[in-house]
Amino acid sequence: MRNSAVFVPHFHWDREWYEPFQVFRHRLVAALDTVLETAEANPDFRFTVDGQMAAIEDYLEMRPENRDRLVALVTGGQLAIGPWLILLDEFLCSGETIVRNLQMGWAAAAELGGSMPIGYLPDMFGHVAQMPQILARAGIEHAALWRGVPGSVDGHAFRWRAPDGSEVRTEFLFDGYDNGLDVLLVPDQIGRALGEYAEMTADRWGEDPVLAMAGTDHNAPDPRLATWLRRASGDERAITIATLDEYIREHVRDEVSAVVTGELRSHVRGNILPGVLSVRLGLKQRMAVAERTIDHAERLNALWSRRDDSPFLSLAWHKIIESTAHDSVVGSGTDETSDQVEARLAEATHAARAVRDAALAVPAALVPSDAYLVANPLPFPRTALVEVDVAAPPAGTVLVATAADGSTRPVQLISEAPTVLSDERMDASQLERVLRRIHRRELFGRLIDHYELTPGSLVFHLAEVPASGPFDLLILRREVAAAAAAHPGEWRVLTLEEARATALVPVRVPASGLAGFRVEPSDRTPVRPTTSAPATAAAPAPATATDRTLSNGLVEVAIAADGTLDVTGTDGTVLRGVGRLVDGGDRGDSYNYAPPAQDVLVSEPTEVTVELLEDGPLRARTRVTRVYEWPVALSSDERDLRDSRTVPTPVETLVEVRVGEPFVRVSTSFLNQSADHRLRFHVPLPEAVTVSASAGQFAVTERGLTAEGGWGEYPIPTFPASSFVSAGAAHVLVDHATEYELVGDGSGIALTLLRAIGSISVNIHPLRDEPAASEIPAPGAQDLGMRIENRFAIVPSSTGWQGANAVALAEDFRNDVLVARGTAPAGDRLPPDTAGLRVDGADILVSSIRRVEGDERGPGIEVRLAAMSDTGSTARVTGAFTEATTVDLLGRPLSATPVTDGLELALGPWEIRTVVVR
């Protein structure tokens, strides 16, 4: 009935924010103690624990004795927990991380009585397009959220549709997740206040009862809440206490007419705080590194190792997911909070790296120690360039890389190391001190090949792989002691290494596979392998460079006088002025950018130098150094004015083309000496456009030149890109979550390289009506004294992101091959190249390959794929397996299929599919 209301007691728990994690946990334990006591004293009381299991795990770690009490409340329906491990920022992690978050939260809840089957997303700063599909493919039919819903939704619920057509009924918390608190301000006036609120919002509720979310940040509800509500409930107003799940499943209509498709980034009913995409750049980069490292670790562990490293992988995933919290990776916390997030991501990377390296060591044990092993983490074959350390060849000698099949490829020498590592003079009595440096055979990171001991002289000859026979340290000690006694006085100790060089080697690696090679001298013309390409295939053009140009036959770069780049693509498309840097002031905070009223934009360098580093034939590189005069900060007297003092800042731009790659690699680096500013990298377009598209979280999302405004936040049209952003003829591949904007009425893309600010929130913000938090200083968010590095790849193409093959190119750009030195005896034959799982298909993203325990069929390898197009695609999976089982996103089997000659999967538009092969 119209006058009924359902109160949902809850809290929203930011795990870390304006206080670090342990401080907030201390409050959490006290709050949940109160919740448990209140629920046990009143069987009618219900409580919803914010949809995230991290709060429960953090509590039980301090209160393990309360586990049974908590389980009893969950199984009795008084306590709703799950389904997430943490309430994440959806745009600042990968789609795979979102899936693992849901999986780990669901599993943790199952151990305590079961999860609430609601995709509860109360405070995220917008929502990704594929979230409805992720929930639906985990068997979850409902969601509840606040921020980002467009103005077209005029009720309290809508059908949220993913690009693939999946839907979840979504409860719209249009007045926030604390809308019930105002009704509770005066306990003996709850009935009157509720009536007024119901009347004001009647158009939203229709015939459904009012949902009153009775809770807020970091506080348990008053233990007297149930008593107050019983007193307020009467004949005219029915008041019920429920969990969020009970409200959605028992008190409202399932049928809703409003439909919203895709991502939710509207400002109409709540601030989405878009500045979090670019603040504290280092956290975004470390998140990307951690996600890539664990992805590679899982793939190598599944394919090449028999060791069960699941505890290490689970640990790494847990720490990554903890760090995705919407006040963690976003960088909107204090400096000490951000330091803890950074350390947690480092721990995750370290654990994953250990698993990756251990898995790589297994096949490396079959490769001779004078050769190298290359592992390809991607499920398609590729030719990659790797840098390895080799013995420097004599003048005039050509080096080649010899593969297992005997074919050879030319290498490119890019540096040479000195041979004298130390030259010391000392008294004979000190020689024993030198010998203490030797650890079995290692000295200065190399191995002793042989030594020369003559009166007054000891010469060590070091090598990476000794050519001589066994070395006995005890014999050396005895000989040196005797020589020192026989020849007292001054001695010369010389440590020499064989001349070393860094070689750039092209290696053809099978899909998810392994390939070995040696670098050795050759006096004959290199022979190309007969199996890597058809006999008629033309060899790719070499990479070349001059002082002002670079080319590889696919793309060309001309460096202009101002240091910007004119880039010509394979189809003749030209992007002019790429890399123009524009620096402006920022008087905002960690949540929202804000230009000073009297901003000073700096876009012209005071000095430009160009240095040729490498001229091919495999890789060509040029370094462009531009010096800019950037204001040191905002004025100390006026935040709407940049300081008149400037600091000269050299910005190095490394421009690189590689043989066979249809894009230009660009990286920027500078030491940040300025505060309160935003620096952006511009990619001008040949023609103005009205739409951009960016890839991330299993989708490519299109966006216009504006964002929908409302509420109290200016709708600045800055958006996230996770792997690439595309507009018109320009396609930019990125290696971490990056903020971009279409600027100049659609005439160019601007990517944020740095946004340096000094406060979590500012009370008076020109682009936001209300504070986002307390005005707490965050000096670390200025990144002063930090070297700021970003890397991109530029793909000019008039055929759009699909015609440019941006999905595959982005994967290639972001995922380097892995290289390890062999550990088998030097001189042995190279093992044959070996392929793992291979996936073929246009616009197919493979987000995960990992080992799973499976069901009664035994362990298998799980593969998760997504069709990254609006037409769908057919994926063909081949490898050493004879059976495939389709599973949902929680790993539950759906159907099994015998396999005889590979597996063909017809994926619908934007479909996510998970299969386990055995």
Side-chain angles (χ1 to χ4, degrees):
M1 62 188 203
R2 182 177 296 278
N3 288 330
S4 65
V6 176
F7 279 76
V8 174
H10 75 103
F11 57 43
H12 174 54
W13 207 272
D14 299 293
R15 196 167 185 258
E16 54 200 357
W17 182 18
Y18 57 82
E19 294 284 7
F21 162 59
Q22 295 296 356
V23 174
F24 268 139
R25 172 150 72 173
H26 192 269
R27 300 178 188 176
L28 170 71
V29 170
L32 278 177
D33 280 346
T34 298
V35 168
L36 264 61
E37 293 165 3
T38 303
E40 290 170 336
N42 186 344
D44 294 332
F45 182 76
R46 300 287 189 270
F47 190 79
T48 300
V49 192
D50 204 30
Q52 54 179 334
M53 287 304 298
I56 300 297
E57 292 183 348
D58 295 341
Y59 176 76
L60 290 179
E61 191 173 350
M62 296 293 107
R63 292 277 195 270
E65 68 276 10
N66 287 345
R67 179 186 176 91
D68 290 344
R69 295 174 61 196
L70 192 144
V71 169
L73 292 172
V74 172
T75 55
Q78 288 186 263
L79 206 62
I81 60 175
W84 302 101
L85 178 59
I86 201 106
L87 292 182
L88 70 162
D89 187 286
E90 300 166 31
F91 292 97
L92 293 177
C93 64
S94 70
E96 186 62 32
T97 298
I98 296 175
V99 172
R100 301 302 179 91
N101 187 341
L102 184 57
Q103 290 177 342
M104 294 185 79
W106 192 271
E111 294 181 358
L112 298 174
S115 175
M116 171 176 71
I118 306 294
Y120 188 45
L121 306 160
D123 199 28
M124 286 71 165
F125 307 150
H127 304 278
V128 298
Q130 287 281 38
M131 183 59 76
Q133 183 178 181
I134 291 172
L135 295 174
R137 288 184 182 272
I140 297 174
E141 300 174 343
H142 299 269
L145 50 82
W146 168 32
R147 303 184 196 263
V149 178
S152 59
V153 175
D154 55 10
H156 72 97
F158 61 95
R159 301 201 323 266
W160 187 14
R161 183 177 295 162
D164 77 312
S166 301
E167 289 184 357
V168 289
R169 181 199 178 278
T170 302
E171 187 67 27
F172 178 25
L173 309 177
F174 61 90
D175 269 348
Y177 53 78
D178 59 354
N179 70 315
L181 291 188
D182 289 347
V183 173
L184 301 174
L185 285 175
V186 183
D188 61 2
Q189 294 293 315
I190 289 175
R192 176 195 57 78
L194 179 59
E196 292 178 358
Y197 179 75
E199 183 177 351
M200 286 188 297
T201 58
D203 290 344
R204 289 275 180 182
W205 303 112
E207 298 301 317
D208 290 333
V210 170
L211 169 62
M213 298 293 290
T216 188
D217 297 357
H218 319 134
N219 285 285
D222 193 297
R224 298 168 292 177
L225 175 62
T227 301
W228 296 343
L229 295 178
R230 274 196 300 270
R231 191 166 63 225
S233 182
D235 294 337
E236 296 183 1
R237 196 167 318 284
I239 295 177
T240 305
I241 297 179
T243 64
L244 182 62
D245 179 32
E246 289 172 331
Y247 171 78
I248 290 173
R249 292 184 177 275
E250 299 175 11
H251 295 278
V252 298
R253 297 162 295 145
D254 281 337
E255 303 81 17
V256 291
S257 57
V259 177
V260 178
T261 299
E263 73 175 5
L264 306 179
R265 289 192 64 85
S266 170
H267 304 254
V268 168
R269 295 295 303 185
N271 298 335
I272 65 169
L273 311 172
V276 299
L277 297 174
S278 52
V279 74
R280 296 194 192 264
L281 167 72
L283 292 181
K284 281 65 172 177
Q285 292 175 325
R286 288 173 177 84
M287 173 61 71
V289 169
E291 289 178 323
R292 264 197 302 275
T293 306
I294 195 168
D295 179 35
H296 294 176
E298 286 190 328
R299 295 182 189 216
L300 266 65
N301 180 261
L303 296 171
W304 310 116
S305 174
R306 295 185 177 180
R307 171 173 170 158
D308 180 12
D309 272 325
S310 56
F312 288 92
L313 293 169
S314 295
L315 171 68
W317 269 120
H318 201 289
K319 290 186 176 296
I320 288 172
I321 293 165
E322 289 176 61
S323 303
T324 66
H326 67 282
D327 287 305
S328 297
V329 69
V330 300
S332 61
T334 60
D335 289 351
E336 56 189 351
T337 294
S338 294
D339 289 346
Q340 189 167 21
V341 177
E342 182 177 330
R344 191 183 300 127
L345 287 170
E347 277 194 80
T349 302
H350 299 161
R353 190 178 75 197
V355 174
R356 180 199 70 191
D357 293 351
L360 193 57
V362 175
L366 304 176
V367 175
S369 60
D370 59 347
Y372 289 89
L373 174 72
V374 177
N376 178 13
L378 297 179
F380 51 80
R382 58 203 288 219
T383 297
L385 295 184
V386 300
E387 291 185 14
V388 294
D389 181 72
V390 299
T397 303
V398 174
L399 292 183
V400 296
T402 303
D405 63 0
S407 61
T408 58
R409 289 173 177 262
V411 305
Q412 177 182 332
L413 294 182
I414 55 177
S415 68
E416 190 165 336
T419 58
V420 178
L421 299 183
S422 71
D423 188 352
E424 304 168 278
R425 295 185 182 274
M426 63 188 66
D427 188 80
S429 62
Q430 299 298 310
L431 291 176
E432 175 61 27
R433 177 171 59 86
V434 173
L435 300 183
R436 288 200 298 270
R437 299 172 181 166
I438 303 170
H439 301 278
R440 290 170 290 281
R441 193 168 189 165
E442 180 269 329
L443 176 61
F444 296 154
R446 299 296 188 191
L447 299 178
I448 297 174
D449 183 78
H450 64 281
Y451 59 89
E452 300 169 10
L453 182 60
T454 57
S457 174
L458 175 58
V459 181
F460 292 105
H461 294 269
L462 308 185
E464 190 166 13
V465 180
S468 61
F471 169 79
D472 194 322
L473 180 58
L474 294 179
I475 293 176
L476 173 63
R477 288 182 180 277
R478 185 174 68 242
E479 292 177 348
V480 169
H487 302 281
E490 185 179 78
W491 276 65
R492 183 187 187 191
V493 179
L494 187 64
T495 306
L496 303 176
E497 182 186 15
E498 61 182 346
R500 309 297 298 175
T502 301
L504 193 63
V505 181
V507 184
R508 181 71 176 174
V509 199
S512 304
L514 308 171
F517 70 89
R518 276 190 181 90
V519 175
E520 52 195 3
S522 174
D523 55 1
R524 58 193 176 91
T525 303
V527 178
R528 292 196 169 274
T530 58
T531 57
S532 64
T536 57
T544 61
T546 66
D547 289 345
R548 291 276 176 172
T549 64
L550 302 94
S551 176
N552 65 359
L554 297 174
V555 287
E556 296 180 359
V557 183
I559 302 171
D562 64 355
T564 61
L565 314 175
D566 293 344
V567 184
T568 303
T570 305
D571 64 356
T573 298
V574 182
L575 305 176
R576 301 189 186 280
V578 171
R580 178 172 175 261
L581 299 179
V582 179
D583 183 78
D586 190 342
R587 60 143 300 171
D589 50 34
S590 63
Y591 292 103
N592 295 80
Y593 159 77
Q598 302 178 59
D599 201 1
V600 174
L601 299 181
V602 180
S603 61
E604 299 302 323
T606 59
E607 180 183 344
V608 179
T609 58
V610 181
E611 180 185 3
L612 175 61
L613 302 179
E614 300 171 18
D615 60 0
L618 300 176
R619 184 175 72 189
R621 280 180 163 181
T622 299
R623 179 166 54 224
V624 181
T625 303
R626 291 173 284 179
V627 180
Y628 296 87
E629 291 288 339
W630 291 341
V632 295
L634 294 178
S635 170
S636 58
D637 300 321
E638 175 56 64
R639 285 190 57 80
D640 268 319
L641 181 66
R642 297 191 83 178
D643 202 302
S644 59
R645 295 171 298 160
T646 62
V647 56
T649 305
V651 179
E652 294 182 353
T653 302
L654 186 66
V655 187
E656 174 183 322
V657 296
R658 298 183 181 182
V659 63
E661 287 188 342
F663 51 78
V664 178
R665 295 173 182 258
V666 179
S667 60
T668 60
S669 174
F670 64 94
L671 183 68
N672 184 44
Q673 304 169 80
S674 299
D676 311 315
H677 70 127
R678 180 182 71 172
L679 177 67
R680 300 210 285 186
F681 180 101
H682 285 245
V683 181
L685 304 177
E687 296 180 357
V689 299
T690 58
V691 175
S692 67
S694 75
Q697 299 83 33
F698 303 119
V700 179
T701 302
E702 290 191 350
R703 306 178 179 101
L705 295 176
T706 60
E708 186 180 36
W711 202 246
E713 179 179 61
Y714 181 81
I716 183 171
T718 51
F719 299 108
S722 293
S723 61
F724 69 80
V725 55
S726 172
H731 318 283
V732 184
L733 315 180
V734 298
D735 77 340
H736 64 272
T738 300
E739 176 189 87
Y740 80 91
E741 181 181 359
L742 279 184
V743 293
D745 294 326
S747 62
I749 305 170
L751 299 105
T752 305
L753 302 185
L754 173 69
R755 200 167 72 82
I757 51 87
S759 181
I760 290 180
S761 176
V762 294
N763 292 334
I764 305 300
H765 193 293
L767 302 185
R768 191 185 65 229
D769 284 352
E770 60 180 340
S774 299
E775 193 166 278
I776 299 172
Q782 298 281 16
D783 281 334
L784 286 169
M786 302 294 291
R787 180 151 291 277
I788 307 302
E789 298 179 337
N790 287 273
R791 70 183 190 110
F792 312 101
I794 311 297
V795 187
S797 174
S798 62
T799 59
W801 61 266
Q802 285 182 281
N805 200 24
V807 171
L809 292 182
E811 287 295 282
D812 199 12
F813 173 67
R814 290 160 57 89
N815 293 276
D816 292 332
V817 294
L818 307 170
V819 185
R821 194 172 191 92
T823 57
D828 284 3
R829 290 179 58 86
L830 288 167
D833 294 354
T834 308
L837 285 176
R838 175 167 178 162
V839 179
D840 294 294
D843 296 324
I844 294 293
L845 173 72
V846 178
S847 73
S848 173
I849 298 175
R850 64 164 176 160
R851 174 186 288 141
V852 291
E853 288 306 310
D855 47 28
E856 67 277 0
R857 296 179 179 85
I861 295 177
E862 181 187 84
V863 184
R864 189 157 15 258
L865 316 92
M868 299 287 282
S869 77
D870 55 9
T871 58
S873 185
T874 297
R876 178 169 172 77
V877 185
T878 52
F881 58 90
T882 57
E883 177 187 304
T885 303
T886 300
V887 300
D888 71 6
L889 281 187
L890 296 180
R892 297 173 295 207
L894 300 175
S895 62
T897 306
V899 177
T900 56
D901 183 26
L903 175 67
E904 285 205 359
L905 300 171
L907 302 181
W910 308 108
E911 181 184 353
I912 304 167
R913 184 84 64 88
T914 308
V915 296
V916 176
V917 296
R918 296 178 175 86

